[in-house]
Amino acid sequence: METILYTAEALSTGEGRNGHVRTTDGRVDLDLAIPQSMGGSGQGANPEELFAAGYAACFHSALQAVARSQKVKVTDSSVGGRVHIGPNGQGGFQLAVELEVTIPDLPHDQAQALADAAHQVCPYSNATRGNIDVTISVVED
């Protein structure tokens, strides 16, 4: 990376997925818990929720930037993120992501083209490309 524009820093303490995370600026300060479906209490946030929120927000920003560059209005647009975790068949785990893009009042093909372009510039998409399955779908409002 030639130029660093921003650095986020966080610390995990306790027992990882059953611990605590806090950013150095204190804006994120959460207890974590393994989801019930994975044998935990589910009484706290988990890394997949944080990843889903971060990816959705980052992708939405990329979508808006692409739309601005093409002079297309994406008023009331939204991006929903789902992060799945499951066994990888080799004793470990893997992730998969689904992003659901909604752009009211825009033809489906045009909305899909914007989503595809956003996938090329989004930092999360660039980081995950070739590493995990990412599915992007455009849905009607």
Side-chain angles (χ1 to χ4, degrees), residues 79-95:
V79 175
R82 291 185 192 93
V83 173
H84 308 284
I85 186 170
N88 67 3
Q90 301 171 3
F93 293 88
Q94 66 186 34
L95 300 175

Side-chain angles (χ1 to χ4, degrees), residues 87-104:
N88 67 3
Q90 301 171 3
F93 293 88
Q94 66 186 34
L95 300 175
V97 173
E98 293 179 58
L99 297 175
E100 195 171 88
V101 177
T102 303
I103 307 174

Side-chain angles (χ1 to χ4, degrees), residues 13-36:
T13 57
E15 299 177 21
R17 288 179 167 274
N18 277 323
H20 191 87
V21 292
R22 184 179 188 284
T23 57
T24 54
D25 62 11
R27 289 190 180 119
V28 175
D29 192 352
L30 300 170
D31 287 328
L32 300 177
I34 296 172
Q36 286 183 319

Side-chain angles (χ1 to χ4, degrees), residues 91-134:
F93 293 88
Q94 66 186 34
L95 300 175
V97 173
E98 293 179 58
L99 297 175
E100 195 171 88
V101 177
T102 303
I103 307 174
D105 303 321
L106 203 63
H108 184 272
D109 290 347
Q110 187 177 12
Q112 186 66 57
L114 287 174
D116 292 343
H119 191 44
Q120 296 307 308
V121 299
C122 173
Y124 276 63
S125 293
N126 288 331
T128 60
R129 188 170 289 112
N131 297 311
I132 65 174
D133 291 334
V134 176

